[in-house]
Amino acid sequence: MTTGDANADCGGDETEADRVVCVRGRSVGLAVVEVDDAELLHRWRSDPVAAHELGIWPRSLGALRERVERDAEDDSRDDFLVLLPDGTPVGYAALSDQDMVNGSAEVELMTAVEHRGRGYGTDALDALVDLAFGELPLHRLVAETHTSNAPALAALARSGFVREGVSRAACFHRGRRHDLAVHSLLRPEWERLERRRARGSGAARTPDGGLGRLTEGSGA
C-alpha cells in the first residue's frame, strides 16, 4: 500500500476547460476523476465493445458512483479522466495496485469508442507512464489485455511495453474463458525511450538533459 504523500501530485494550475490537469501529453491531459464523472464512466463502461475488452460486468450508476468515492480514498491507486485541450473527455486511465515497496503498479486505460483511432489512447498511455516514473518511485509497470484486443496491443507496443507472456484462461467473461497478454515496462527501458516527455510529469527531459523527439503513429 502507498501512503497519501506517495500518490501522484496534481496540484498544478494548468487546466483543460474547468479541470486541473496533472500532466499534459501531446494531444491530451490527465485530470483526477471526480465523483461527478461517474455518469460518464458508466456510459463508457456500458458499451458492449469496451465491456468485452475490459472484461467487466455492467454496474448500476449508483454502484459505480460508490466505487469512484472509494477509489478516491484508496492510496494504492490514482484515477484520471483523459481530456482534450478544450475539456472534451475522451477516456479514462489509472495507476492501480501501486506497491511502493517493490516499485510496481498496474496500468489501466479505456478510450471512448467514439474517440478511438485518433492517437488519444497512445498519448494518454505515454502521459500516464511519464507520470508514474517521473513522480513516483516506481520501477515496473504492468498491463494486461485480451490477446485479441489488437488496438490495445498496438498502443502498448508503441509506448515501449514488452510482452512477457500469456496468462491462459485468466479472464472469464460472458460465459467464455479468455487469455490475457501480459506486458511490462521497466524504468530503464522508459529512460531509453526517444520521445518527448509529458509536461508536468516531473520527467519533461530525457536522462541526458535534452528533449526527446516525438514518437510517430496514429494511436489507439
Side-chain angles (χ1 to χ4, degrees):
M1 296 290 289
T2 65
T3 65
D5 291 338
N7 281 36
D9 179 11
C10 294
D13 56 3
E14 290 194 80
T15 62
E16 306 285 25
D18 296 327
R19 302 292 290 266
V20 175
V21 173
C22 304
V23 58
R24 188 187 303 278
R26 296 183 299 277
S27 60
V28 301
L30 303 183
V32 173
V33 166
E34 300 176 355
V35 175
D36 289 343
D37 297 322
E39 185 172 349
L40 176 63
L41 295 173
H42 181 262
R43 177 166 63 83
W44 287 345
R45 289 168 59 96
S46 298
D47 177 80
V49 175
H52 171 70
E53 292 175 348
L54 296 174
I56 57 178
W57 293 101
R59 289 174 175 263
S60 69
L61 177 57
L64 185 57
R65 183 179 294 272
E66 291 177 0
R67 177 175 176 176
V68 171
E69 292 176 340
R70 289 196 305 271
D71 287 349
E73 302 299 323
D74 186 348
D75 288 336
S76 70
R77 64 181 299 126
D78 291 292
D79 297 82
F80 305 98
L81 208 61
V82 181
L83 303 174
L84 296 181
D86 64 0
T88 301
V90 297
Y92 160 86
L95 283 174
S96 60
D97 293 330
Q98 296 175 28
D99 181 345
M100 295 303 164
V101 175
N102 293 307
S104 63
E106 184 171 350
V107 170
E108 301 177 20
L109 179 68
M110 175 175 60
T111 306
V113 173
E114 63 269 26
H115 293 291
R116 294 184 179 183
R118 304 176 187 178
Y120 300 146
T122 300
D123 192 14
L125 182 58
D126 286 345
L128 186 66
V129 166
D130 290 351
L131 183 67
F133 287 132
E135 294 288 344
L136 302 175
L138 296 175
H139 184 78
R140 168 183 164 87
L141 298 178
V142 177
E144 295 183 346
T145 189
H146 289 178
T147 53
S148 60
N149 189 351
L153 295 174
L156 288 168
R158 282 192 293 269
S159 292
F161 280 75
V162 176
R163 182 159 174 163
E164 294 186 338
V166 174
S167 293
R168 296 182 299 165
C171 177
F172 183 75
H173 186 62
R174 294 181 179 175
R176 292 182 54 196
R177 288 278 175 187
H178 300 272
D179 295 341
L180 294 179
V182 181
H183 291 69
S184 69
L185 180 65
L186 305 182
R187 177 178 289 274
E189 296 167 340
W190 168 76
E191 291 173 344
R192 292 194 295 268
L193 292 176
E194 294 183 346
R195 63 166 174 79
R196 190 181 299 273
R197 301 303 190 236
R199 286 180 290 165
S201 65
R205 292 185 176 272
T206 53
D208 63 0
L211 293 176
R213 64 174 174 82
L214 292 174
T215 55
E216 301 293 334
S218 60

